[in-house]
């Protein structure tokens, strides 16, 4: 026969085997609302119930929670199946006024079948504080003002830059058409290429004469001597007349020379011509 101690142990084992499965409950997980919420902002409470798929389906019934300073505006539920099965309840509340607010404890009932016994899952109490949304509005308005000012300053600076460019463009004197002649002569003297030195000198002489005639408004003059005579009558500065006379003299001397002209002499003459023409580009017409 079993003694009293062994009999009690056997009864305990049998109770564990046959009664515990009947009391197995799904697991309750809660995402509580924020502790502080502004007026006009929704308060959200999320309740998630999970259980293994091997337990089969459950039926749920959520009671509407008792509230203080809150109004229930929406209640939704959804189910997901994966490694675990979950039933999610989403409650949305709207604060009534500034002050403390309470979601009192409430129950979500569950059972295995239509004839099963309803068992409760207790959702605990949640307390929160409803505050004015005025600081948020002020911050939002302030941010809008700052952004507006920054945009206005940016647009204003752009308009200012455009205005300055227009004023500067109006102040720029019209381009002297003579300047293009000087630039073309400079490029021509610099880039003209020929295997014959005297051909180079003749070309350079034509470009130099064109610059002098353009700069001093010399017209209907055929020879360097006539140009120099015209400039002397016109009364240009003595230094300018001497420089022009010197260059014309070097061009004429090399053009009619009977000996070969060295590369050194050609390069020196070219430098003198470019120096003179470039000075007219910088100084501009009289």
């Amino acid at each position: 026969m079993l003694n009293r101690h062994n009999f009690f142990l056997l009864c305990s084992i049998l109770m564990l085997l046959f009664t515990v499965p009947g009391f197995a409950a799904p697991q309750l997980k809660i995402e509580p609302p924020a502790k502080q919420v502004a007026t006009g902002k929704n308060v959200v409470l999320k309740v998630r119930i999970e259980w293994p798929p091997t337990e089969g389906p459950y039926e749920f019934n959520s009671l509407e929670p008792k509230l203080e300073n809150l109004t229930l505006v929406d209640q939704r539920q959804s189910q997901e199946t994966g490694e675990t099965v979950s039933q999610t309840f989403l409650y949305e509340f709207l604060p009534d006024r500034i002050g403390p607010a309470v979601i009192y404890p409430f129950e979500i009932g569950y059972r295995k079948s239509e004839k099963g016994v309803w068992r409760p899952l207790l959702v605990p109490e949640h307390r929160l504080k409803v505050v004015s949304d005025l600081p948020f509005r002020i911050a939002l308005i302030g941010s809008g003002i700052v952004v507006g000012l920054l945009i206005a300053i940016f647009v204003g600076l752009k308009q200012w830059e455009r205005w300055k460019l227009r004023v500067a463009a109006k102040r720029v004197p019209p381009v002297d058409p003579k300047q293009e002649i000087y630039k073309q002569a400079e490029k021509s003297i610099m880039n003209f290429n020929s295997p014959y030195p005297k051909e180079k000198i003749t070309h350079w002489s034509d470009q130099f004469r064109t610059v002098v005639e353009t700069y001093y408004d010399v017209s209907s003059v055929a020879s360097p001597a006539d140009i120099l005579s015209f400039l002397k009558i016109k009364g240009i500065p003595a230094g300018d007349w001497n420089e022009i006379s010197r260059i014309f003299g070097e061009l004429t001397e090399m053009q009619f020379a009977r000996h070969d002209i060295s590369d050194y002499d050609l390069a020196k003459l070219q430098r003198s011509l470019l120096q003179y023409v470039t000075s007219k580009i910088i100084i501009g017409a009289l």
Side-chain angles (χ1 to χ4, degrees):
M1 292 183 63
L2 294 173
N3 58 33
R4 186 176 179 180
H5 177 75
N6 290 336
F7 177 77
F8 179 77
L9 181 61
L10 179 62
C11 289
S12 299
I13 293 171
L14 290 173
M15 287 178 66
L16 287 172
L17 290 174
F18 294 102
T19 63
V20 171
F23 289 96
Q27 185 179 4
L28 187 67
K29 294 184 177 180
I30 298 174
E31 292 185 20
K35 293 295 183 183
Q36 182 171 296
V37 63
T39 54
K41 299 294 181 180
N42 281 7
V43 177
V44 178
L45 171 64
K46 187 175 181 180
V47 179
R48 185 181 178 92
I49 303 170
E50 297 180 348
W51 67 93
T54 54
E55 291 188 16
Y58 281 97
E59 184 181 349
F60 295 93
N61 180 33
S62 173
L63 299 178
E64 185 173 322
K66 182 181 177 182
L67 305 169
E68 182 179 326
N69 195 23
L70 294 170
T71 300
L72 181 65
V73 293
D74 193 15
Q75 179 178 336
R76 303 188 300 275
Q77 58 179 303
S78 60
Q79 189 174 93
E80 296 179 6
T81 304
E83 294 183 0
T84 61
V85 183
S86 65
Q87 183 82 13
T88 301
F89 294 86
L90 194 68
Y91 306 88
E92 289 190 27
F93 312 95
L94 192 64
D96 296 331
R97 61 189 180 279
I98 297 172
V102 184
I103 305 171
Y104 287 101
F106 65 97
E107 294 179 355
I108 298 177
Y110 72 96
R111 64 181 180 180
K112 294 286 290 183
S113 64
E114 292 183 359
K115 296 182 179 181
V117 178
W118 284 102
R119 298 183 183 277
L121 289 171
L122 182 64
V123 179
E125 178 181 280
H126 294 281
R127 292 181 175 270
L128 55 144
K129 184 178 180 181
V130 181
V131 297
S132 173
D133 64 344
L134 184 60
F136 174 76
R137 290 183 181 179
I138 292 174
L140 187 63
I141 293 171
S143 299
I145 292 173
V146 171
V147 171
L149 286 174
L150 290 175
I151 293 173
I153 291 171
F154 177 78
V155 173
L157 288 174
K158 286 293 184 183
Q159 293 295 334
W160 172 254
E161 291 293 333
R162 290 174 184 172
W163 180 82
K164 287 198 301 182
L165 289 174
R166 287 197 296 268
V167 171
K170 290 179 181 179
R171 290 177 178 175
V172 173
V175 178
D176 185 355
K178 293 182 178 181
Q179 292 296 309
E180 190 61 32
I181 296 175
Y182 306 150
K183 291 177 183 178
Q184 290 296 331
E186 179 188 39
K187 290 180 182 178
S188 185
I189 293 172
M190 187 182 299
N191 299 326
F192 182 77
N193 192 20
S194 172
Y196 305 106
K198 290 191 177 182
E199 188 174 339
K200 281 186 179 181
I201 295 169
T202 300
H203 179 78
W204 292 349
S205 179
D206 292 341
Q207 298 301 317
F208 176 71
R209 186 166 53 189
T210 298
V211 170
V212 172
E213 290 174 349
T214 302
Y215 189 79
Y216 291 106
D217 295 321
V218 180
S219 59
S220 303
V221 178
S223 67
D226 293 333
I227 293 174
L228 290 171
S229 177
F230 176 86
L231 295 179
K232 198 156 197 175
I233 295 172
K234 189 173 184 178
I236 68 171
D240 292 349
W241 190 91
N242 290 334
E243 183 180 13
I244 296 170
S245 177
R246 178 185 63 79
I247 295 174
F248 269 136
E250 291 180 3
L251 286 167
T252 302
E253 182 181 349
M254 288 190 183
Q255 196 168 11
F256 294 100
R258 296 181 178 275
H259 56 80
D260 293 335
I261 302 170
S262 67
D263 292 338
Y264 172 80
D265 290 336
L266 277 174
K268 183 180 178 182
L269 176 61
Q270 186 183 38
R271 282 195 301 272
S272 295
L273 291 168
L274 289 174
Q275 184 177 0
Y276 180 86
V277 174
T278 303
S279 71
K280 300 312 172 203
I281 295 174
I282 296 172
I283 295 173
L286 292 175

